[in-house]
Amino acid sequence: MKNIAILTGDGVAGEILASAIKVLDRISEVYDIKFNYNYAPIGGRAYDETGFPLPDKTIETALKSDAVLLGAVGDWKYDSLAPELRPERALLGIRKRLNLFANLRPIKVFNELLFASPLKEEVARDCDIMIVRELTGDVYFGEPKGIIKKTTLDNREIKVGFNNMIYDEDEIRRIAIVAFKSAQKRKKRVCCVDKANVLDVSRLFREITVEVSKDYPDVELSFMYIDNCAMQLVQNPRQFDVILTGNIFGDILSDEASTICGSLGMLPSASLSDGKTPFMYEPIHGSAPDLAGKNSVNPIATILSAAMMLDYSFNEKSASDSIYRAVKEVLKEGYRTRDILQKDNELTTTTKMTDLIIEKIR
Ligand code: IPM
Ligand code: MG
């Protein structure tokens, strides 16, 4: 029996999680794996219920599970809350509490959806990148930070805001190891993306990555500055295999790279720890509160996140592959949710898309 914490957030979270759970239930029938779901609120929903976006009970539920599946958090109605009560804070909080330092964001194009990519078809075709983003350090968590007052030379009191972009070598080493191991299962290339021409923290990032690379002689290591990488991702994305990068660069690059695939609604993610705490899976897209309750959003990102869970947390590669295969077949047949709709395609609801995928899992 595998215990899965289902962290329901805001907006469309409930619908897409329901889709993923239906798919997991189907997997359970076909592959003889049993799942038990433990539900807990997170984000705005948790704030409404308990006054906190990340209640202790939610962390407990996550910690005692074998894996965590998260919907999405955030809604404009919480915009006026104090920063520590905002839904996004729950996301940062749970990453830190579960020690999820390695965020894997596969950018894998389904060629059936090339028309939806803003890139030329021949540029985006067959693109398959794994972004390995460090997730619990960097300027996101670095101390000191804050907004304080200072007095200028001409004696005015003004405010100054600051954060600290900081990595120690242990943090760099463990994320680099994840990237090299991931590359070994792929095309054996790691590109370390940083700003080493300007930032000391990036210079250390490179130094440690070079050190780690010595243990992976079968993997080719290259380097690219973040600004160049942002350009190369739209100019020639197929040159990349694994991109290894820090928290904030990875945040930005993964949103950019997601457009290659045509829709944010297609992209899953996995966040891994050192194995002492459960891994967490979530779609890359947000909570889209304007689309909530309309049975119209694309459930595939969350369904593929469940597929990543089967692979990374439960070592059920063939069950995981069967989901990818089912998704591909349904897309091939021309079924489309609104975000990936093309003329002549069949407009499909969230639930219909889910059922079609389920039918093809065998
Ligand atoms: C992401 C998101 C989060 C991040 C926000 C919502 C805190 O953009 O998962 O990429 O910046 O990490
Ligand atoms: Mg982001």
Side-chain angles (χ1 to χ4, degrees):
M1 174 75 80
K2 303 293 185 197
N3 278 297
I4 303 175
I6 305 287
L7 304 191
T8 316
D10 307 309
V12 299
E15 300 165 56
I16 53 177
L17 285 171
S19 292
I21 289 167
K22 263 178 152 178
V23 169
L24 285 170
D25 285 342
R26 172 74 185 144
I27 289 289
S28 181
E29 283 168 26
V30 179
Y31 287 87
D32 197 30
I33 322 163
K34 294 277 164 287
F35 300 115
N36 175 46
Y37 308 111
N38 304 312
Y39 292 81
I42 192 164
R45 171 188 299 262
Y47 172 78
D48 287 342
E49 287 176 21
T50 69
F52 301 101
L54 183 59
D56 288 342
K57 271 204 89 141
T58 296
I59 295 170
E60 275 166 36
T61 304
L63 281 172
K64 66 171 205 259
S65 302
D66 300 307
V68 180
L69 187 62
L70 182 125
V73 298
D75 193 317
W76 301 294
K77 67 182 184 205
Y78 305 109
D79 278 0
S80 55
L81 288 179
E84 64 278 10
L85 294 178
R86 301 212 9 189
E88 293 78 10
R89 197 49 83 87
L91 211 48
L92 300 184
I94 194 143
R95 288 170 181 172
K96 200 70 174 173
R97 291 295 296 271
L98 299 188
N99 192 25
L100 301 169
F101 65 86
N103 184 214
L104 307 191
R105 298 189 161 185
I107 308 293
K108 195 172 159 58
V109 163
F110 284 89
N111 286 337
E112 290 75 16
L113 301 182
L114 281 175
F115 71 88
S117 172
L119 301 189
K120 289 190 194 123
E121 293 206 3
E122 67 270 24
V123 175
R125 183 175 299 280
D126 295 323
C127 178
D128 182 1
I129 305 171
M130 179 64 88
I131 298 183
V132 176
R133 167 190 177 196
E134 200 288 331
L135 202 61
T136 51
D138 205 348
V139 71
Y140 271 63
F141 294 95
E143 302 276 350
K145 61 172 188 161
I147 301 175
I148 56 171
K149 294 212 172 95
K150 75 165 189 183
T151 309
T152 61
L153 289 175
D154 58 352
N155 237 350
R156 284 177 304 119
E157 197 172 70
I158 60 169
K159 286 192 267 189
V160 47
F162 55 98
N163 291 84
N164 191 2
M165 191 176 234
I166 180 167
Y167 273 121
D168 66 39
E169 56 179 290
D170 292 349
E171 291 173 310
I172 301 168
R173 197 166 287 113
R174 64 181 185 176
I175 190 68
I177 290 171
V178 172
F180 282 101
K181 287 206 154 99
S182 167
Q184 280 183 321
K185 294 193 207 136
R186 299 169 46 94
K187 291 182 216 126
K188 300 195 167 46
R189 283 186 283 122
V190 169
C191 181
C192 173
V193 174
D194 57 42
K195 192 71 186 172
N197 49 345
V198 177
L199 302 172
D200 296 309
V201 60
S202 287
R203 286 218 318 277
L204 183 67
F205 206 101
R206 275 195 186 199
E207 185 186 316
I208 303 299
T209 300
V210 168
E211 222 180 273
V212 171
S213 74
K214 306 220 162 88
D215 295 333
Y216 301 87
D218 54 329
V219 178
E220 180 195 312
L221 173 64
S222 61
F223 297 95
M224 200 178 272
Y225 297 136
I226 171 77
D227 47 351
N228 185 24
C229 182
M231 180 184 78
Q232 298 288 338
L233 269 175
V234 289
Q235 200 161 58
N236 178 17
R238 277 186 304 201
Q239 70 184 286
F240 297 106
D241 179 25
V242 172
I243 290 179
L244 161 64
T245 192
N247 202 346
I248 192 145
F249 295 156
D251 177 44
I252 298 164
L253 289 182
S254 59
D255 263 34
E256 185 194 1
S258 72
T259 66
I260 302 168
C261 300
S263 170
L264 263 180
M266 295 296 300
L267 296 170
S269 77
S271 301
L272 315 182
S273 67
D274 56 7
K276 296 192 185 110
T277 42
F279 300 168
M280 187 167 89
Y281 303 84
E282 56 179 310
I284 286 190
H285 64 72
S287 51
D290 49 329
L291 300 175
K294 296 189 175 145
N295 195 20
S296 77
V297 291
N298 190 345
I300 293 178
T302 315
I303 290 171
L304 292 180
S305 299
M308 288 187 88
M309 174 190 293
L310 291 170
D311 185 3
Y312 288 86
S313 284
F314 304 147
N315 215 358
E316 295 281 354
K317 184 91 172 85
S318 46
S320 173
D321 288 347
S322 75
I323 297 179
Y324 275 92
R325 229 180 6 251
V327 168
K328 195 159 173 71
E329 280 175 36
V330 171
L331 293 176
K332 217 178 220 144
E333 286 174 10
Y335 295 102
R336 303 281 187 267
T337 41
R338 188 169 298 284
D339 58 312
I340 49 177
L341 189 67
Q342 193 183 24
K343 270 203 313 267
D344 308 330
N345 286 150
E346 179 142 349
L347 178 61
T348 307
T349 61
T350 309
T351 45
K352 174 91 189 291
M353 187 59 122
T354 308
D355 293 341
L356 287 163
I357 292 169
I358 287 168
E359 273 169 33
K360 302 220 178 280
I361 294 176
R362 9 170 215 271

